[in-house]
Amino acid sequence: MAFHAPRKTAQIAMENGEKKVHLPLTTTIILGFLAGAFISFGFLLDIRVTGNLPEEIWGSMSALIGGAVFPVGLVFVLIAGGELLTGNMMAVATARFAGKIKTIHIVKNWSIVTVSNFIGSIFVAYFFGHYLGLTETGAYLERTVAIAEHKVDASFSEAFVSGIGANWLVCLAVWLCYSADDVAGKILGIWFPIMAFVAIGFQHVVANMFVIPAAIFAGYFSWWEYVVNFVAVFLGNAVGGAIFVGLFYWMAYLREKV
């Protein structure tokens, strides 16, 4: 499996970030909707696979199993095509650090992609989770509510720090995907960082767009609790992606040496 050296990968990330902010508006909205839906499919698969695994028998292995199936969502995003907020937090920021775009481009791109990711996530949560009952029956409801409760019960600072960890790993998955030349290499690069973030239990703003509303549609929690969680995790994800991956690798590989 051919792959690029880190310096070349940094160049690819910067170029992709520049391309993203110049996509037509309708393209960004469509790809954003799809990305939100794809990540939700991964989370829904996690719930359906692990919902019937008794904790007293499986213990933390259920988290590992859920983490092992969740990455299909990001595989869809990066290979089939999608605009995912958390990946853009790294790629678009890298282009900004390199001086290829302006700050207003970041604001516009992140805003449009956030809204379209939310619509895609809510679509899956309502129609597949609520209407079909895939997150609202028996053990699957218990699993959905337990996951959502863990997220909304975290304090603002806890959710923020958890968000840093989540997008540090998610953006490393995107970075490794950029480094590979073939589909098998891209899937392998995506799989393990995403499995790690899910198994650890870090908070991802787009994944939360699915699981917390799914619990709300089932009659648990409030939209205000979700909004507070959203703000904390959004900010943490922005730091994890833009700073811990985008800025650090720009400094290491793209910054003009002085």
Side-chain angles (χ1 to χ4, degrees), residues 8-147:
K8 176 62 175 177
T9 303
Q11 184 75 23
I12 292 171
M14 178 193 71
E15 291 170 356
N16 283 341
E18 185 177 6
K19 291 175 184 176
K20 287 175 181 296
V21 302
H22 295 303
L23 288 173
L25 176 61
T26 53
T27 300
T28 302
I29 292 172
I30 291 168
L31 293 178
F33 172 87
L34 291 175
F38 292 160
I39 295 300
S40 299
F41 282 137
F43 214 148
L44 181 58
L45 179 61
D46 176 349
I47 290 168
R48 297 295 295 185
V49 168
T50 63
N52 276 323
L53 298 180
E55 187 175 345
E56 61 272 14
I57 297 175
W58 288 91
S60 60
M61 281 298 295
S62 64
L64 179 62
I65 294 169
V69 300
F70 189 102
V72 297
L74 193 62
V75 170
F76 293 157
V77 170
L78 292 174
I79 296 178
E83 286 293 302
L84 183 66
L85 172 63
T86 45
N88 286 18
M89 285 174 168
M90 177 274 292
V92 175
T94 302
R96 178 65 186 92
F97 294 136
K100 300 296 183 180
I101 62 173
K102 298 179 180 179
T103 302
I104 189 62
H105 289 123
I106 294 180
V107 174
K108 290 173 63 177
N109 180 264
W110 289 8
S111 298
I112 295 166
V113 174
T114 297
V115 173
S116 52
N117 282 176
F118 181 74
I119 295 171
S121 300
I122 285 289
F123 181 91
V124 175
Y126 183 82
F127 286 103
F128 301 133
H130 176 68
Y131 184 74
L132 292 184
L134 295 178
T135 57
E136 294 193 13
T137 56
Y140 306 114
L141 173 60
E142 293 176 11
R143 177 71 173 155
T144 301
V145 172
I147 294 171

Side-chain angles (χ1 to χ4, degrees), residues 3 37 44 56 130 139 160 171 191 195 198 202 210 212 214-215 232 238:
F3 67 96
L44 181 58
E56 61 272 14
H130 176 68
F160 172 78
C171 288
W191 213 272
M195 181 174 66
V198 176
F202 286 146
F210 165 76
I212 300 176

Side-chain angles (χ1 to χ4, degrees), residues 123-196:
F123 181 91
V124 175
Y126 183 82
F127 286 103
F128 301 133
H130 176 68
Y131 184 74
L132 292 184
L134 295 178
T135 57
E136 294 193 13
T137 56
Y140 306 114
L141 173 60
E142 293 176 11
R143 177 71 173 155
T144 301
V145 172
I147 294 171
E149 183 176 29
H150 170 75
K151 295 179 182 302
V152 299
D153 280 353
S155 68
F156 191 94
S157 61
E158 289 171 340
F160 172 78
V161 173
S162 182
I164 293 175
N167 212 28
W168 193 347
L169 288 170
V170 170
C171 288
L172 284 175
V174 176
W175 193 272
L176 294 179
C177 176
Y178 288 164
S179 76
D181 267 340
D182 63 309
V183 171
K186 290 179 180 294
I187 292 174
L188 193 63
I190 293 166
W191 213 272
F192 290 97
I194 300 302
M195 181 174 66

